[in-house]
Amino acid sequence: MAVDIVMPQMGESIFEGTITKWLKKPGDKVERDEPLFEISTDKVDAEIPSPSAGVLKEIKVGEGQTVPIQTIVGVIDAAGSAAAAPAPAKVEVPVPAKAPAAAAPAPPPAARPAPVAAPLSTQPAAAPAPSSGTGERIHSSPLVRRMAAEHGIDLSTVPGTGAGGRISKQDIEALIAAGGAPAAAPPASA
């Protein structure tokens, strides 16, 4: 029996996610709630647990790809857990290394309330945002900071169009499309 792995919705206003890393390969045995892959959204980065025990049959969405929520990103063969005899020998070595990570599924549920608290904390903190000179906090998501770092963009030079001056993914994408990376050449050395 095949079980679909879907891109989860990590918050009310989250409509897409980027797969940053697959922690398992096709053919690997997985247990229920064992971390399968990592995602990055506008508001949170998280490890996504397996919805079922079995063998990872197929990865449909590769690392670095952004897809809408509820998109099928992979398939687990739940019946394959009994049929895969050689797989346990391969999995026994990684299991001790992943044992500390088995506690990691607890943080994603804790991270779900964080997006609710984050907008509340950004509204009172919106006053310092206009004075975002050197040393001031720049309001942006982990995804926005990563995109800016990849393209050598200094976030202190980006005007935020989001709530309270927050820099959104769309702001960074527009700057990249307009060729905004050359303006950020001096901060790239920092």
Side-chain angles (χ1 to χ4, degrees):
M1 178 175 111
V3 177
D4 292 334
I5 306 165
V6 297
M7 175 63 72
Q9 183 171 12
M10 298 301 288
E12 286 183 21
S13 63
I14 303 295
F15 301 106
E16 64 182 12
T18 302
I19 295 182
T20 55
K21 182 179 182 183
W22 277 95
L23 303 172
K24 296 290 182 178
K25 297 183 292 282
D28 286 355
K29 183 177 178 190
V30 294
E31 297 298 324
R32 180 175 173 82
D33 295 330
E34 181 179 9
L36 265 183
F37 59 99
E38 296 174 354
I39 65 166
S40 181
T41 68
D42 284 340
K43 295 189 179 189
V44 68
D45 293 345
E47 285 185 343
I48 305 304
S50 170
S52 174
V55 174
L56 182 58
K57 181 178 177 181
E58 179 182 5
I59 293 177
K60 293 187 175 199
V61 178
E63 293 179 0
Q65 290 184 312
T66 301
V67 294
I69 60 168
Q70 303 305 317
T71 299
I72 298 172
V73 297
V75 179
I76 293 176
D77 184 9
S81 59
K90 287 170 43 177
V91 176
E92 287 177 19
V93 176
V95 169
K98 293 294 181 186
R112 290 182 186 156
V116 175
L120 297 175
S121 64
T122 5
Q123 291 171 352
S131 64
S132 63
T134 58
E136 292 293 323
R137 185 173 190 276
I138 297 171
H139 297 287
S140 61
S141 69
L143 176 63
V144 166
R145 289 190 293 272
R146 191 185 71 211
M147 287 173 66
E150 287 175 359
H151 293 281
I153 297 171
D154 181 8
L155 288 177
S156 65
T157 63
V158 178
T161 60
R166 184 177 183 90
I167 300 170
S168 69
K169 178 181 172 186
Q170 288 78 18
D171 295 333
I172 296 294
E173 288 174 341
L175 190 62
I176 292 168
S189 63

